[in-house]
Amino acid sequence: MNVGKAVYGILSSTSAVTDIVSTNIFPEIAEQETATPFIVYQLQGVSPEDTHDGPSKLDEVRMEIICFSDSYNGAADLADKVRGALDRVSGTYNGVNVESVQFNNVDIEIEYDPRRYSQVTTYTFRIKRDNITIAAGTPVTGAQLGDLSDVNTTGVTDGQVIAYDAASSVWLAATDAGGAETLNDLTDVILTAPLSLNDVIVYGGASDRFYRNRALNINDLGDVNTLGLTGDSILVYNDSGSEWRVIANRTGTVEDVTAGTGLTGGVITDTGTIALADTAVTAGAYTSADVTIDAQGRITAAANGSAGTFFIQRYLSQANTLRSGATATTEIYFTATAEGNGLSESASSDTPTAGKIINRKIYYSETAFADPDTGTWVEFTPAPADNATFATVKAALFEYLKVRTGGTIPISLKQTWQETEPSTFLLDQSYGSGAEAAYSTRQLRLAQTDCMVIRRASDSTTTTIGFDASGNIDEAAITTFCTGTTCSVQTWKDQSGNGNNATQATAGNQPVIYTGGQLVKEGGRLALDEGYFAISNAPTTASPISLAMVAVHTNGSNKNMWNANEQGTNTNYFYTRSDANNTFDAAIYGGGFVRSRASVNAGQFLGFAEFLVSGSNVTAQAYADGVAASSVSTTPPTGIDVNDIGQFQRASTAFYECNNMQELVVWNSNKSSDRTSIEENIGDYFTQNTPLLDTYSGAAAAYSLRLLDSTYTGSAIRVRRSSDNTEQDIGFNVFSELDTVSLTAFAGAGDAFVKTWYDQSGNSNDATQTTTANQPKIVSSGAVILENGKPAVEFTSNGQILESTSATAFTGVIQNELYCVASYDTINVGNQYASGVKIGGSTRGVMIGTNSSSGQIRYHSNATNFETAVGGTIVAATQVLNGGTYDGTTRHARLNGASVGTNTDAGNTGTANLYFIGKHPNLQNGTSKRVQESIIYAAYNSNESGIETNINTFYNIF
Amino acid sequence: MNGYIIVLPEGVLSSEQRAERISRELYCVTAPLATQEPYQHDGKVFGMVEHPDGVQFALQVDTEYNIPVSPLATLERLISLMTELTEIEVRELSSYVLNSQSFPFGAIVPSTTTVRTYEEMVELGWFSEEQEFD
């Protein structure tokens, strides 16, 4: 009976008990003289639970545990700790399998001498007898493996084995079948994860084991012998040895073959065919073949040649002498007699120099050995096209030779070459070509030589006037012919090539072009004053019609400028007119006239009109300075053939067509898609405005009512109309001048003021005024304010000013150039500055205007003192070109293109604050003035002459 | 006539704020707020000048400056800023303005308001007169 071992094991391992009794725990009786406290445990009895077929597997054992102490409380405390250690415990203690312990009872006993107290507690221990001892020779039946104390078969399944678990010293149901299930379970196999497809295992390495993916050499293979292996070796199979053996040093192995030029079939890496590629030549026989041979010597092109043209070159040296000795660049010279011929060639370039074109011409002469310069030569017409190649022109020349050598000899041929400027004339351009009639005071076609026939009043003598080298009408010739008298135009030549000359036989009706010792001009170009023409040879077909003209509009006046009559009648069914309603009209008669009306202002304008036919209907569309009016349509009365119009003829004595007309071009075609290009061509010529900054770039600020830079795409000004304070940007028209049509349309009948004058220099120094009372005026009661015929910004004496927020590009600059087109209404009332740069916080600056009391130009160019250049004489209310330059040494005040005063005081400009127009921000309200242009350079470039010429060309100031 | 109107502070409005609002409301007579494009939201008719003390402001006015009247114009905000107007002047002003297509600014200047010249402003210390030398 081992229950006592369990009791001792439990109590001696319970610290709550040993803390009191240490190891004084005794079976049955305590040792002699043992000091209290201590414990004695005693077996009281056993109740085995026998079974029918074997010994008891569970004993119930009653035990007494006696707890001794010197005090009652000590005994009680000890008994309590013992109960805590024993009651309801289960497990194996000291090899005894305790299923359970049950506390049964307690009693108190007292001993005397010495006095001791003991609590006698009783417990029932249920002891499992798993490790029962089986008598030898005694058959054991009924016992199961799980009954053994070191075996745990809980949860065992079918086929499962048990394995010993050293950690718990118990045999447990194994997690697998108990044997090696995978290669890696074998002790001599090391397979490290991860495994992958086609892994192999090889033997070797440390510990004589099999490993995964050990690096293999080809020599590891049983039928490979790498003896003698060196670089560039290959393996070759040896039949006799039944193994692969090394063949060393096999260098230069061909890996692939690529087909070269003219071959097909590559790239070949194994087997294949490389063949000659076909050329463009068709297999066959050729006569007098013209062939092309490539660098490999193959014929790549072949064609039958020209049989019958051949040169025996008997006169080659003579031909060379004549060709090379010619004055003009002569590329080909050929001469032939009955005895033989000679051909000399020297091709010039087929590529023209930038901006030029190549003109080749070909000639023949009915004489052998004709001198290229003095012989009688006939030019082939039409001439070859511009930029036709040497070969092309030569082919044409020899085509002629082929014909002529059929019988007519002797003969000489030559081909010349020259480079010329391309034509910019309107009718030479694709967009302007095909005119039915074209009249102008400029050259419209390169081939045109005559402009007009003029008649002088003094003797009625006439002369034909042509063009100067720049394509302008030859004004010098007119002046020479007309000096001392008046000249008028008798015939305005049609430059279209159709011979539709406009004529006026009656002297009194001829437009005047020279009177009072001066040429009649508009915008700097010759113009035809009032008068009219008729076309002697009117076109017979004219549907549709497009028309462009440059003339002058006079407010409140009707000027029929082109009438289209039905053939044989004197009734104008279609016309264009500068109308008293301040419009340019394109009108159609349909039992009454309907008109497409484009607004125009007084002065030079560019009109464009279209008359398009659709069935029996005609639509008219007018444009003025590139701005379209609403179109109108109507059906002319029955009997009028709309395909039979197109005369340029005055119909009524009440109207005069040429109101300073300068150009009229009529196309019997729809030019709608070319209109913009045509307008630009015309506008570029008649505007007289060469954008100043295109030539004189680098301005710090540039304000103008004309376009100053052809690359500038912004507006000229932003205006506010008085009626509702609405604002709008105003740009430029086709003449690159202020779009006054849009301006007046926006302003209506009221006033318009400039809120922003945009800087065209590219520096974004826009000059602005947000306070409405301080904004200068540009439209007054519906009319654009003009100065010398050009729009102007009017600053009154009430302090109007436009100013930028900064003065970019002017900081720290000493040298400068200033130009300003202005008109001062009042002078001698203090220093009045029209424009400039404010410097510092006071009244200093770099600026130009009038002097306080002398009416002179005043150029102020200093930040710290008032060093000024003064001179000249300004007339009140007269347009002037103010200027000022400072080269770092000398200040020049400039007036109308000349230096009128100097100053050499030292001084620097300092740092600029802002650009201003109208008045200096820190000076009191100035007198009223008009400003049209202000250009400021933050450097001195010695360009004053060119700049002032450009400005004066446009404004016609002096 | 060009001149200056010294604008006194009124209520919570400083001199500068009141001057600016008067100029703004004059602009709105021509272009009422409801009809304005974004670029008109800062529009003003007259500029301002600042006294060296940094506190007083004056409108730089032109009494002949013509102010068109929009059919949609209202005067309440302008009149509320012009406290110098008497009740009679308010009625007359409203009637006059709203029945006109335009009016010169001088026509609505209160009778008690003084339009000062540049020289007077110099005497009052508004400007430190700086002249150019010849």
Side-chain angles (χ1 to χ4, degrees):
Chain A
M1 186 57 60
N2 296 324
V3 67
K5 294 166 63 177
V7 171
Y8 183 83
I10 294 171
L11 294 180
S12 62
S13 61
T14 302
S15 60
V17 175
T18 58
D19 286 348
I20 300 174
V21 300
S22 182
T23 57
N24 291 332
I25 303 170
F26 306 104
E28 295 304 325
I29 188 168
E31 291 179 359
Q32 192 74 22
E33 300 297 330
T34 300
T36 58
F38 58 87
I39 297 170
V40 175
Y41 55 92
Q42 297 174 343
L43 179 66
Q44 298 298 312
V46 177
S47 299
E49 291 185 356
D50 291 339
T51 63
H52 294 290
D53 52 0
S56 170
K57 296 178 182 176
L58 182 65
D59 291 345
E60 286 194 353
V61 182
R62 291 181 299 281
M63 292 292 290
E64 273 190 358
I65 312 297
I66 307 167
C67 301
F68 291 92
S69 179
D70 290 342
S71 65
Y72 180 88
N73 289 342
D77 288 342
L78 181 57
D80 185 61
K81 301 301 182 188
V82 169
R83 184 176 179 179
L86 296 175
D87 197 13
R88 297 299 178 182
V89 300
S90 63
T92 302
Y93 304 97
N94 280 349
V96 179
N97 192 351
V98 179
E99 185 179 83
S100 67
V101 180
Q102 181 179 9
F103 173 75
N104 298 131
N105 198 7
V106 64
D107 192 12
I108 305 295
E109 293 181 357
I110 302 173
E111 294 179 7
Y112 301 96
D113 193 19
R115 175 171 292 191
R116 290 176 176 167
Y117 297 88
S118 62
Q119 287 214 352
V120 181
T121 59
T122 57
Y123 294 86
T124 300
F125 284 73
R126 293 171 63 87
I127 304 301
K128 291 181 68 173
R129 299 186 68 240
D130 299 327
N131 54 346
I132 57 175
T133 301
I134 301 171
T138 303
V140 177
T141 60
Q144 296 182 349
L145 185 60
D147 294 337
L148 300 179
S149 61
D150 57 351
V151 176
N152 185 349
T153 59
T154 304
V156 69
T157 59
D158 188 28
Q160 196 166 19
V161 300
I162 61 172
Y164 185 72
D165 178 32
S168 60
S169 302
V170 173
W171 291 84
L172 301 172
T175 56
D176 53 30
E181 294 183 333
T182 65
L183 278 177
N184 210 25
D185 291 338
L186 303 178
T187 58
D188 59 348
V189 175
I190 307 298
L191 300 180
T192 54
L195 299 179
S196 59
L197 188 64
N198 297 329
D199 277 355
V200 298
I201 57 174
V202 295
Y203 181 76
S207 305
D208 292 332
R209 289 175 175 163
F210 289 90
Y211 293 89
R212 178 176 67 90
N213 278 358
R214 176 175 172 266
L216 293 177
N217 295 320
I218 196 168
N219 198 37
D220 293 334
L221 302 177
D223 58 350
V224 174
N225 183 349
T226 59
L227 183 64
L229 188 67
T230 63
D232 300 318
S233 294
I234 62 173
L235 289 176
V236 177
Y237 189 74
N238 183 281
D239 281 332
S240 61
S242 299
E243 63 179 10
W244 294 84
R245 294 179 179 173
V246 167
I247 304 297
N249 299 324
R250 288 302 182 97
T251 59
T253 303
V254 175
E255 296 179 347
D256 56 60
V257 177
T258 303
T261 303
L263 298 174
T264 62
V267 175
I268 297 171
T269 58
D270 186 3
T271 60
T273 300
I274 296 176
L276 281 171
D278 290 342
T279 68
V281 177
T282 302
Y286 292 87
T287 302
S288 302
D290 291 330
V291 298
T292 303
I293 300 174
D294 68 10
Q296 286 73 40
R298 297 171 305 160
I299 297 175
T300 56
N304 288 322
S306 302
T309 299
F310 57 91
F311 313 110
I312 61 173
Q313 294 289 44
R314 178 175 179 175
Y315 304 118
L316 176 59
S317 61
Q318 291 89 337
N320 280 335
T321 300
L322 290 167
R323 183 194 59 75
S324 60
T327 301
T329 300
T330 303
E331 296 180 301
I332 296 175
Y333 181 89
F334 173 81
T335 191
T337 69
E339 290 74 32
N341 55 37
L343 172 68
S344 175
E345 295 183 57
S346 179
S348 298
S349 173
D350 285 341
T351 305
T353 304
K356 298 198 174 186
I357 56 174
I358 291 173
N359 300 125
R360 286 188 161 93
K361 296 181 179 179
I362 53 180
Y363 305 81
Y364 74 89
S365 172
E366 298 284 359
T367 305
F369 304 103
D371 186 282
D373 295 328
T374 61
T376 301
W377 293 92
V378 179
E379 182 180 355
F380 285 58
T381 55
D386 291 347
N387 295 323
T389 65
F390 172 83
T392 299
V393 180
K394 177 185 174 184
L397 181 68
F398 278 70
E399 190 62 31
Y400 176 80
L401 178 60
K402 281 168 55 180
V403 174
R404 295 302 304 269
T405 52
T408 303
I409 54 176
I411 189 172
S412 294
L413 301 171
K414 70 175 181 179
Q415 174 177 322
T416 62
W417 177 98
Q418 66 176 350
E419 209 169 40
T420 61
E421 298 289 340
S423 168
T424 59
F425 300 130
L426 175 62
L427 302 188
D428 288 334
Q429 312 308 312
S430 58
Y431 56 80
S433 62
E436 181 65 23
Y439 314 93
S440 184
T441 56
R442 62 167 174 157
Q443 192 171 359
L444 293 176
R445 205 161 53 88
L446 186 63
Q448 185 71 25
T449 56
D450 297 338
C451 183
M452 57 180 60
V453 177
I454 62 174
R455 184 190 63 83
R456 61 187 176 199
S458 57
D459 58 2
S460 288
T461 302
T462 62
T463 189
T464 299
I465 302 297
F467 305 99
D468 64 17
S470 299
N472 310 305
I473 191 169
D474 189 349
E475 295 182 355
I478 297 173
T479 301
T480 300
F481 181 72
C482 303
T483 297
T485 184
T486 297
C487 277
S488 56
V489 180
Q490 180 169 296
T491 302
W492 202 359
K493 295 283 189 177
D494 173 20
Q495 298 190 39
S496 72
N498 296 323
N500 294 319
N501 294 331
T503 58
Q504 178 54 269
T506 304
N509 294 333
Q510 293 172 349
V512 173
I513 59 166
Y514 186 91
T515 184
Q518 289 186 327
L519 295 162
V520 176
K521 285 196 170 185
E522 187 63 39
R525 303 287 192 191
L526 187 77
L528 281 67
D529 201 349
E530 292 191 351
Y532 64 93
F533 300 97
I535 300 174
S536 59
N537 182 22
T540 56
T541 58
S543 174
I545 294 174
S546 301
L547 175 149
M549 66 169 59
V550 179
V552 165
H553 170 71
T554 303
N555 280 339
S557 176
N558 287 325
K559 301 289 182 183
N560 274 34
M561 294 178 167
W562 173 80
N563 294 332
N565 301 348
E566 187 181 23
Q567 285 259 327
T569 75
N570 200 28
T571 303
N572 53 321
Y573 291 106
F574 302 82
Y575 69 80
T576 58
R577 179 161 81 181
S578 168
D579 193 89
N581 291 298
N582 296 336
T583 56
F584 170 68
D585 295 355
I588 320 165
Y589 183 73
F593 279 102
V594 294
R595 301 174 179 88
S596 173
R597 295 188 141 167
S599 298
V600 291
N601 291 318
Q604 187 186 43
F605 74 97
L606 166 57
F608 196 95
E610 296 166 351
F611 297 92
L612 306 179
V613 178
S614 177
S616 60
N617 222 30
V618 178
T619 299
Q621 171 85 65
Y623 303 82
D625 293 341
V627 179
S630 298
S631 62
V632 296
S633 296
T634 191
T635 301
T638 303
I640 295 178
D641 183 355
V642 296
N643 292 317
D644 199 19
I645 59 177
Q647 293 191 44
F648 170 43
Q649 186 173 27
R650 174 180 171 271
S652 166
T653 56
F655 301 138
Y656 294 88
E657 291 78 8
C658 296
N659 196 47
N660 279 26
M661 185 177 285
Q662 295 169 297
E663 185 161 298
L664 171 66
V665 183
V666 182
W667 294 268
N668 291 345
S669 60
N670 182 354
K671 285 287 186 181
S672 298
S673 60
D674 296 319
R675 179 181 57 81
T676 301
S677 297
I678 292 170
E679 289 173 337
E680 287 177 354
N681 182 292
I682 297 173
D684 286 347
Y685 181 81
F686 286 101
T687 182
Q688 292 290 287
N689 177 22
T690 301
L692 187 148
L693 299 183
D694 285 3
T695 307
Y696 306 104
S697 59
Y703 311 95
S704 183
L705 298 177
R706 61 167 174 151
L707 187 68
L708 292 174
D709 187 325
S710 58
T711 65
Y712 177 72
T713 57
S715 298
I717 52 176
R718 184 171 183 81
V719 297
R720 175 187 62 84
R721 64 186 177 200
S722 59
S723 60
D724 59 1
N725 286 344
T726 301
E727 299 170 7
Q728 181 171 299
D729 284 337
I730 302 296
F732 305 96
N733 63 20
V734 293
F735 294 121
S736 299
E737 298 182 40
L738 186 70
D739 183 0
T740 55
V741 173
S742 297
L743 175 60
T744 51
F746 172 71
D751 300 337
F753 300 85
V754 177
K755 178 181 181 181
T756 302
W757 203 339
Y758 292 108
D759 174 19
Q760 298 184 42
S761 74
N763 295 319
S764 301
N765 290 314
D766 300 336
T768 298
Q769 178 57 261
T770 58
T771 301
T772 62
N774 292 337
Q775 291 170 346
K777 186 186 292 186
I778 191 164
V779 176
S780 181
S781 300
V784 177
I785 294 172
L786 300 176
E787 184 65 40
N788 195 20
K790 302 287 188 187
V793 179
E794 183 175 80
F795 298 80
T796 71
S797 60
N798 298 334
Q800 280 84 9
I801 180 174
L802 297 170
E803 52 191 324
S804 66
T805 55
S806 65
T808 305
F810 212 90
T811 301
V813 173
I814 298 174
Q815 302 177 354
N816 54 70
E817 293 183 43
L818 275 65
Y819 304 92
C820 181
V821 178
S823 170
Y824 303 88
D825 285 350
T826 309
I827 56 176
N828 301 337
V829 289
N831 299 334
Q832 302 296 318
Y833 294 103
S835 69
V837 190
K838 177 191 172 188
I839 295 178
S842 63
T843 57
R844 281 80 166 176
V846 176
M847 47 204 184
I848 43 182
T850 63
N851 197 26
S852 60
S853 59
S854 59
Q856 294 175 313
I857 194 74
R858 180 179 177 88
Y859 170 51
H860 187 317
S861 174
N862 203 343
T864 55
N865 295 307
F866 293 102
E867 274 79 28
T868 59
V870 177
T873 301
I874 287 182
V875 177
T878 301
Q879 185 187 40
V880 294
L881 169 55
N882 295 26
T885 62
Y886 181 51
D887 60 7
T889 302
T890 304
R891 296 173 184 81
H892 287 271
R894 299 184 65 83
L895 178 62
N896 292 341
S899 174
V900 292
T902 60
N903 172 281
T904 57
D905 292 339
N908 298 323
T909 59
T911 300
N913 302 116
L914 53 85
Y915 300 105
F916 67 83
I917 311 169
K919 71 183 247 341
H920 188 290
N922 288 40
L923 291 174
Q924 279 311 289
N925 299 344
T927 59
S928 60
K929 59 183 74 70
R930 295 177 174 89
V931 180
Q932 295 166 294
E933 186 163 297
S934 171
I935 303 170
I936 300 169
Y937 293 87
Y940 176 69
N941 299 307
S942 304
N943 288 331
E944 54 266 48
S945 176
I947 290 173
E948 288 166 343
T949 298
N950 178 291
I951 293 173
N952 189 51
T953 298
F954 182 76
Y955 290 102
N956 194 26
I957 302 169
F958 53 90
Chain B
M1 171 189 176
N2 298 315
Y4 302 86
I5 296 177
I6 299 172
V7 180
L8 300 175
E10 181 70 35
V12 298
L13 296 179
S14 65
S15 172
E16 180 184 14
Q17 291 170 329
R18 186 163 170 243
E20 186 175 11
R21 292 192 185 190
I22 290 172
S23 183
R24 170 69 182 152
E25 288 306 321
L26 288 171
Y27 182 92
C28 293
V29 169
T30 304
L33 199 58
T35 67
Q36 287 181 7
E37 298 290 333
Y39 64 77
Q40 294 176 299
H41 290 172
D42 294 326
K44 300 177 186 66
V45 171
F46 295 123
M48 298 187 301
V49 294
E50 180 182 2
H51 191 278
D53 65 11
V55 176
Q56 298 179 78
F57 283 79
L59 284 170
Q60 187 174 8
V61 302
D62 174 4
T63 57
E64 296 172 358
Y65 183 76
N66 199 47
I67 300 177
V69 181
S70 168
L72 301 176
T74 58
L75 299 179
E76 286 78 5
R77 290 163 64 91
L78 177 61
I79 290 172
S80 69
L81 292 165
M82 300 174 70
T83 54
E84 298 86 349
L85 291 171
T86 65
E87 283 193 19
I88 295 174
E89 285 178 325
V90 167
R91 284 196 298 272
E92 291 176 349
L93 171 66
S94 298
S95 175
Y96 168 69
V97 170
L98 297 179
N99 288 293
S100 303
Q101 290 187 331
S102 65
F103 63 91
F105 170 71
I108 65 168
V109 175
S111 58
T112 56
T113 298
T114 302
V115 180
R116 291 179 166 84
T117 64
Y118 175 78
E119 290 73 20
E120 290 172 335
M121 295 293 277
V122 171
E123 289 179 6
L124 292 172
W126 281 75
F127 305 123
S128 56
E129 188 172 24
E130 183 176 22
Q131 297 292 336
E132 271 200 280
F133 301 110
D134 288 328

